[in-house]
Amino acid sequence: MEIRKELPEIFKSFSEARQAGFISAKNFKDAGNPLIGIFCTYFPQELALAMGAVTVGLCASSDETITESEKDLPRNLCPLIKSSYGFGKTDKCPYFYFSDLVVGETTCDGKKKMYEYMAEFKPVHVMKLPHSQDQVAKELWKQEIIKMKEVLEEQFAVSITEEKLHKAILLKNEERKAMKEFYGLCRQDPSPMTGMELFNVLVGASFDFDREALPSKIRDLTQKVQEEYQIIQNNEIKPRILITGCPMGAATAKVIKAIEDNGAVVVCFENCTGVKAVEELVDEHNLDLFGALAEKYLNIGCSCMSPNTKRFELLNRLIDEYKVDGVVEMTLTACHTYNVESLSVKRFVQQEKGRPYTYLETDFGTSDVERINTRMTAFIEML
Amino acid sequence: MLSLGIDSGSTTTKGILLDDQGIREKLIIKTSSSPRKSLYEVYDTFWSDAVGCTVATGYGRSLLKKANRKITEITCHARGSRYFEPNCTGVIDIGGQDCKAIALDEKGNVTDFLMNDKCAAGTGRFMDVMMGILEADLEDLDDFVINAKAISISSMCTVFAESEIISLLANDIPKGNIALGVIHTIAERTATFYGRLNLCGPVFFSGGLSKSKIFCRVLEEYLGQSIKTDVLGQYTGAVGAALIGYESVE
Ligand code: SF4
Ligand code: SF4
């Protein structure tokens, strides 16, 4: 799809957001606004928005600090946990450095135990996430969200009123709707953008601190991409891939590259980098604001849930809507929940959806790039 | 028309030249420290004006710039296996540095595959290294384990297995028993690996170890089914490559 001339330019501001974000984070902080570091999509970002703070994802994706983290953490631990911890400990990540508070959740075992050590050098609050999605769990999660609100109010000497919270809910929903329209463009066949472009926007947007302006910025982009798409009639038919599994970052973008260098196109990211946490909106009409937040967030289909039915409901819909030809699951080494769940995903995709599925376990290094290439090429040859 | 298939593996490079009558020529050489050189050595041996298509496969496939097509070893092994065993729906290949399991539909299309390429255990290299410690030649494997009783080897890592074997030797355990133990380790691993694909049809087994009768027998034991092999089993990838090339031109 290299024929387009202007599109890369359009994407640029988003792709560079993470780097540019260092500066905007500093400006944002200098203006007296709090920054809250998060590690997971279960954190209700509306709480932060309601107090004029902004959240920033601290999940690292580089093997730079892994050796350092292994002084404290076991070697056979997921690289996301090790890398994130390492960046915090060595103070190499400006976002970590600028974060006034780090919020974690009791998602997977590795993460929740890691926070205990992180608390030694950073203010950390851990939300107790239940691992099921029934009514009892929702009530628990609601109480955790209320507790979180109180912690924020106390630490930052602010008051998060219902009114402010409702405004934040509306704003965050706007952002979700805009994002859904954007990635929804890829339902078209051929897709108007590459998976790498899509990925860069998904990641870039989370590093844009002007959250008020973000929805219209995304909508602008959506419109431009669609206009370009209609002008440049591109009829190149390629196999359409959906990626599921662990969240992705700069280091694991090697998987997207391997897929797209070898003749296919990624049209959808089901994982937390993509649609998983964006699809469902918060119910704006529910007067019980905390209940509404609990409902939306607890419905995220992460493998730390058991059973994790929401993931399969989402996969089921996405595979049809995005006319997916094959599913690639990428998991991180030693991520037990996703690695174990991969068998259910395989069964679901192959047997119930009748689509080819392949599974890839990787880390943040580059030593397996060639192996990934061979696998992805073989998978694409099979489609 | 002639079709040339070259499989650039980590230990050996294989070439197959075929036409509508079947395989015409074959060649296997050790892959040197420069895989490109080995590839061209095979290519130069076989190439002539009569060759209508050249397909490269294996780890080094992208190095052969003169190839008409480059296709992964998964697809080529699948095609080659069907040549040797037209009814197989499963393929096991134990290569020098990796192990593959492939599922095929009735038409021979790949429907699923697994590759173990992270660890030397369960590959030909593992056997190779262990035989080296026992000071025996891999080619003589069958004779070496005649009348032996397998001793269990618990280490899966090549390096640890090496020290385990050294201590077994220090305890005067007969070498044949140790070698048979290694065979059991690899065969069991391979069978478990293949089991992940959940297949039940006929299976074709390729790669260097398929030449060992004992290995095949032990593998069958763990698989709980018989396996098909071919004397040219080591050439499966190259045969597949040549066939795909042939079919794409015809
Ligand atoms: S994969 Fe699970 S633990 Fe990780 S960010 Fe997503 S919801 Fe959180
Ligand atoms: S990738 Fe898996 S192990 Fe790693 S932090 Fe996420 S859920 Fe935990």
Side-chain angles (χ1 to χ4, degrees):
Chain A
M1 253 180 255
E2 267 73 75
I3 29 174
R4 278 176 327 216
K5 293 258 154 25
E6 285 171 46
L7 265 194
E9 283 301 312
I10 302 174
F11 284 107
K12 217 166 165 188
S13 75
F14 279 95
S15 311
E16 286 167 359
R18 190 164 191 271
Q19 284 116 25
F22 292 165
I23 299 160
S24 51
K26 188 170 180 305
N27 295 340
F28 185 79
K29 291 273 306 197
D30 288 346
N33 304 308
L35 196 66
I36 297 172
I38 57 172
F39 281 102
C40 171
T41 53
Y42 280 114
F43 174 73
Q45 297 188 23
E46 287 82 352
L47 290 178
L49 280 177
M51 58 177 266
V54 149
T55 49
V56 62
L58 296 179
C59 288
S61 162
S62 145
D63 57 3
E64 200 183 317
T65 62
I66 287 192
T67 322
E68 181 61 31
S69 77
E70 283 174 357
K71 286 183 185 163
D72 296 348
L73 300 173
R75 277 196 57 203
N76 61 340
L77 188 68
C78 143
L80 194 154
I81 303 176
K82 283 194 289 190
S83 163
S84 304
Y85 178 83
F87 271 101
K89 188 147 192 221
T90 56
D91 241 342
K92 274 192 180 156
C93 167
Y95 292 116
F96 190 89
Y97 173 83
F98 284 131
S99 295
D100 299 286
L101 176 70
V102 166
V103 180
E105 293 78 14
T106 52
T107 46
C108 62
D109 290 351
K111 252 189 187 170
K112 78 180 178 211
K113 298 304 284 181
M114 177 272 278
Y115 294 132
E116 294 174 14
Y117 296 122
M118 189 174 266
E120 291 170 4
F121 51 84
K122 193 81 183 175
V124 174
H125 174 82
V126 178
M127 298 179 78
K128 313 240 170 355
L129 180 79
H131 291 168
S132 63
Q133 293 157 318
D134 54 21
Q135 272 317 312
V136 181
K138 282 198 179 131
E139 190 47 43
L140 277 171
W141 189 231
K142 180 179 155 186
Q143 293 312 320
E144 277 299 306
I145 298 177
I146 294 173
K147 207 192 284 168
M148 180 79 242
K149 168 198 150 239
E150 289 162 1
V151 168
L152 290 172
E153 287 182 325
E154 202 194 304
Q155 290 227 358
F156 297 97
V158 291
S159 115
I160 299 178
T161 61
E162 294 246 321
E163 196 195 332
K164 285 182 189 162
L165 189 56
H166 192 249
K167 244 186 91 194
I169 289 177
L170 296 179
L171 180 61
K172 189 69 198 171
N173 270 354
E174 266 324 291
E175 183 189 316
R176 290 190 185 103
K177 284 186 225 161
M179 201 41 113
K180 285 169 71 158
E181 288 159 21
F182 177 70
Y183 60 63
L185 289 174
C186 298
R187 291 197 184 97
Q188 303 170 93
D189 191 8
S191 177
M193 65 189 113
T194 65
M196 198 59 101
E197 288 166 336
L198 171 61
F199 170 79
N200 284 333
V201 174
L202 290 167
V203 174
S206 65
F207 288 94
D208 192 321
F209 297 129
D210 190 353
R211 297 285 152 95
E212 300 262 352
L214 189 57
S216 65
K217 239 170 133 179
I218 300 171
R219 290 204 164 103
D220 259 7
L221 179 67
T222 309
Q223 200 190 339
K224 282 190 194 135
V225 172
Q226 189 59 18
E227 278 166 8
E228 281 279 320
Y229 180 61
Q230 271 148 2
I231 298 169
I232 305 158
Q233 299 263 327
N234 165 34
N235 300 318
E236 206 182 349
I237 299 294
K238 291 179 174 184
R240 300 162 64 81
I241 305 292
L242 175 143
I243 294 186
T244 183
C246 294
M248 291 177 108
T252 39
K254 62 187 173 187
V255 177
I256 310 171
K257 192 169 177 324
I259 294 171
E260 301 200 324
D261 280 355
N262 292 299
V265 57
V266 178
V267 293
C268 185
F269 295 91
E270 182 272 339
N271 54 25
C272 273
T273 314
V275 315
K276 197 193 282 288
V278 182
E279 277 293 293
E280 192 175 321
L281 304 181
V282 178
D283 181 0
E284 295 169 359
H285 307 294
N286 189 342
L287 295 178
D288 172 12
L289 300 186
F290 293 99
L293 287 173
E295 173 81 26
K296 183 251 141 45
Y297 281 96
L298 202 64
N299 274 345
I300 293 173
C302 171
S303 62
C304 63
M305 293 293 162
S306 177
N308 186 16
T309 43
K310 294 284 174 197
R311 183 178 181 197
F312 295 91
E313 286 168 24
L314 183 60
L315 273 172
N316 187 25
R317 190 157 61 72
L318 295 176
I319 289 173
D320 294 339
E321 282 180 12
Y322 288 78
K323 302 181 210 69
V324 169
D325 297 309
V327 172
V328 173
E329 171 145 31
M330 185 216 79
T331 63
L332 295 172
T333 322
C335 170
H336 299 329
T337 52
Y338 275 102
N339 282 327
V340 172
E341 198 165 276
S342 65
L343 176 63
S344 309
V345 177
K346 175 180 174 150
R347 284 182 184 150
F348 176 76
V349 173
Q350 289 183 339
Q351 291 161 21
E352 283 179 47
K353 301 305 287 177
R355 303 292 207 294
Y357 163 96
T358 195
Y359 160 85
L360 198 75
E361 191 182 328
T362 187
D363 58 19
F364 294 168
T366 49
S367 65
D368 60 358
V369 166
E370 263 321 300
R371 292 192 292 243
I372 293 179
N373 257 320
T374 297
R375 271 178 212 222
M376 290 302 108
T377 313
F379 184 64
I380 294 161
E381 282 171 358
M382 176 179 139
L383 299 175
Chain B
M1 184 205 67
L2 287 167
S3 174
L4 175 57
I6 305 180
D7 179 2
S8 165
S10 57
T11 347
T12 52
T13 303
K14 283 113 350 194
I16 284 284
L17 195 63
L18 57 73
D19 62 13
D20 56 347
Q21 304 297 308
I23 297 173
R24 286 266 291 265
E25 308 261 6
K26 61 181 198 311
L27 177 67
I28 182 166
I29 58 170
K30 261 187 96 65
T31 301
S32 69
S33 53
S34 156
R36 185 195 310 268
K37 251 195 187 154
S38 308
L39 260 166
Y40 275 94
E41 192 182 325
V42 175
Y43 180 80
D44 293 336
T45 309
F46 286 138
W47 200 84
S48 69
D49 285 341
V51 174
C53 189
T54 304
V55 175
T57 185
Y59 277 119
R61 66 184 179 281
S62 54
L63 299 171
L64 189 68
K65 295 279 173 279
K66 290 184 178 167
N68 301 86
R69 289 178 71 186
K70 287 144 197 158
I71 298 173
T72 62
E73 47 271 40
I74 296 290
T75 307
C76 290
H77 264 85
R79 184 65 194 87
S81 301
R82 276 284 173 137
Y83 175 82
F84 293 124
E85 186 50 47
N87 294 321
C88 68
T89 51
V91 179
I92 298 174
D93 174 71
I94 301 186
Q97 264 169 19
D98 70 0
C99 177
K100 314 181 242 300
I102 310 173
L104 307 174
D105 64 15
E106 330 70 64
K107 291 199 201 105
N109 301 313
V110 179
T111 56
D112 200 358
F113 65 90
L114 296 171
M115 275 174 105
N116 159 33
D117 44 19
K118 273 205 190 129
C119 156
T123 69
R125 177 71 92 228
F126 189 75
M127 193 76 231
D128 213 17
V129 172
M130 300 312 140
M131 290 298 274
I133 304 166
L134 300 173
E135 295 171 321
D137 198 342
L138 193 54
E139 297 290 320
D140 308 328
L141 188 59
D142 282 355
D143 294 335
F144 198 71
V145 297
I146 277 180
N147 297 327
K149 274 189 68 195
I151 183 124
S152 112
I153 312 274
S154 54
S155 307
M156 277 301 178
C157 162
T158 314
V159 179
F160 290 135
E162 210 173 317
S163 45
E164 190 175 342
I165 287 175
I166 290 168
S167 65
L168 288 171
L169 286 173
N171 283 319
D172 277 338
I173 307 285
K175 288 182 178 179
N177 295 6
I178 301 176
L180 192 57
V182 174
I183 290 180
H184 275 266
T185 311
I186 301 178
E188 186 177 11
R189 236 188 181 221
T190 307
T192 313
F193 180 65
Y194 183 71
R196 293 185 73 103
L197 286 180
N198 247 321
L199 304 173
C200 48
V203 49
F204 181 75
F205 172 47
S206 66
L209 280 173
S210 68
K211 286 186 293 187
S212 158
K213 289 202 173 57
I214 302 275
F215 187 87
C216 292
R217 213 198 58 220
V218 177
L219 180 60
E220 286 178 333
E221 224 173 86
Y222 284 105
L223 284 171
Q225 71 175 107
S226 64
I227 51 179
K228 312 274 188 204
T229 55
D230 193 279
V231 278
L232 296 182
Q234 253 185 307
Y235 293 90
T236 309
V239 169
L243 283 170
I244 293 172
Y246 189 84
E247 285 150 8
S248 70
V249 174
E250 280 302 285

